[in-house]
């Protein structure tokens, strides 16, 4: 699986959009981009995934660049409950493992 | 989605003892995964457990230290054997659900070894 690079930490004001970047420059054509988050002391929570098109669900939007070498997770109106570690993961479709990197620790400030 | 429960949610154990962690899923799944998360670190996959066969361990993890049982399609156990303080971690159970494209995690078992 391709490696991902994320900033170790970010801050965002409550009510603003939180934009979390992820670099996956070695991604191959059959690899999907997944985002999970882990709120303190809880199990990771699935957020969203995509292949090449932008995706949106009730939690977030995923913007993948045309060359697929990077992506951005957008939390449109961040709340204090969105404070968590966010993991960007690249996974080959059908592969059983998810390989977690160090993630981005996002802090939402009041 | 898949709903996963784990027991115990936390425990404090003495070195040299063993602890068995249970994972229960609300639907039948082929594979179950066990992860470890050491303090301040990311998740590391310990092993993959298939029903009816031996678990497959990742590099750095061995069956004698982390024996796994998978008696049916909704249940698995992970035992942490002969514990030392370095085993203090959160242990997480996980399965694939949905259309096979989403991995779900249990709430974790927080283990402290004194």
């Amino acid at each position: 699986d391709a490696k991902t690079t994320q900033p170790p930490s970010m801050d965002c004001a409550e009510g603003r959009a939180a934009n979390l970047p992820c670099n996956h420059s070695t991604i191959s054509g059959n690899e999907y981009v997944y985002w999970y988050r882990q709120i303190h002391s809880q199990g990771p929570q699935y957020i969203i995934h995509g292949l090449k098109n932008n995706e949106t669900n009730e939690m977030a939007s995923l913007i993948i660049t045309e060359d697929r070498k990077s992506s951005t997770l957008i939390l449109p109106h961040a709340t204090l409950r969105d404070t968590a570690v966010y993991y960007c993961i690249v996974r080959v479709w059908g592969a059983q493992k998810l390989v977690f990197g160090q993630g981005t620790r996002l802090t939402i400030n009041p | 989605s898949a709903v996963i429960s784990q027991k115990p949610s936390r425990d404090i154990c003495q070195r040299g003892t063993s602890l068995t962690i249970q994972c229960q899923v609300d639907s039948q799944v082929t594979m179950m995964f066990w992860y470890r998360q050491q303090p301040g670190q990311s998740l590391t996959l310990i092993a993959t457990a298939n029903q009816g066969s031996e678990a497959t361990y990742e590099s750095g993890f061995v069956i004698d230290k982390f024996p796994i049982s998978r008696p049916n399609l909704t249940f698995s156990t992970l035992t942490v054997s002969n514990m030392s303080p370095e085993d203090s971690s959160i242990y997480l159970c996980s399965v694939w659900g949905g259309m096979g494209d989403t991995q779900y995690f249990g709430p974790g078992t927080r283990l402290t070894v004194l």
Side-chain angles (χ1 to χ4, degrees):
Chain A
D1 294 329
K3 289 187 177 180
T4 62
T5 303
Q6 298 178 252
S9 64
M10 292 182 61
D11 285 87
C12 180
E14 187 178 19
R16 298 279 188 154
N19 296 279
L20 292 93
C22 179
N23 181 285
H24 31 80
S25 58
T26 61
I27 194 169
S28 59
N30 63 345
E31 289 183 311
Y32 284 68
V33 180
Y34 279 75
W35 283 85
Y36 280 76
R37 74 179 182 183
Q38 188 175 25
I39 297 171
H40 182 63
S41 296
Q42 299 181 19
Q45 177 188 24
Y46 165 80
I47 300 173
I48 198 167
H49 73 281
L51 181 62
K52 55 183 178 181
N53 298 319
N54 298 337
E55 302 287 345
T56 296
N57 62 21
E58 65 278 4
M59 290 183 67
S61 295
L62 173 60
I63 308 298
I64 302 174
T65 58
E66 191 169 347
D67 64 7
R68 301 187 68 239
K69 292 184 177 182
S70 65
S71 61
T72 301
L73 179 75
I74 301 173
L75 307 178
H77 305 286
T79 71
L80 299 179
R81 294 180 182 179
D82 292 320
T83 293
V85 178
Y86 287 77
Y87 296 99
C88 171
I89 302 166
V90 171
R91 174 209 173 210
V92 173
W93 184 255
Q96 294 300 325
K97 299 181 198 177
L98 277 184
V99 179
F100 285 78
Q102 294 304 309
T104 296
R105 182 174 297 277
L106 175 67
T107 302
I108 306 300
N109 300 307
Chain B
S1 66
V3 178
I4 304 171
S5 60
Q6 289 185 230
K7 292 181 180 179
S9 58
R10 59 177 60 224
D11 208 341
I12 301 173
C13 301
Q14 298 297 317
R15 70 170 64 210
T17 63
S18 298
L19 176 71
T20 295
I21 302 167
Q22 298 179 8
C23 176
Q24 180 76 51
V25 188
D26 67 343
S27 57
Q28 295 184 339
V29 293
T30 304
M31 290 185 176
M32 297 177 76
F33 304 87
W34 287 98
Y35 286 81
R36 179 178 74 179
Q37 187 172 29
Q38 295 177 300
Q41 301 298 312
S42 184
L43 283 75
T44 301
L45 181 64
I46 297 172
T48 303
N50 287 321
Q51 194 267 335
S53 64
E54 276 199 11
T56 302
Y57 289 83
E58 297 297 305
S59 176
F61 298 95
V62 295
I63 187 171
D64 290 347
K65 176 68 175 176
F66 297 102
I68 290 172
S69 78
R70 184 77 203 276
N72 58 52
L73 291 174
T74 63
F75 187 79
S76 178
T77 67
L78 170 76
T79 299
V80 186
S81 303
N82 188 25
M83 289 183 286
S84 68
E86 290 71 34
D87 294 318
S88 297
S89 297
I90 298 173
Y91 292 86
L92 296 134
C93 173
S94 176
V95 303
W96 286 98
M99 301 291 288
D101 58 354
T102 306
Q103 191 165 3
Y104 297 95
F105 289 81
T109 295
R110 181 180 292 274
L111 171 63
T112 302
V113 184
L114 303 178

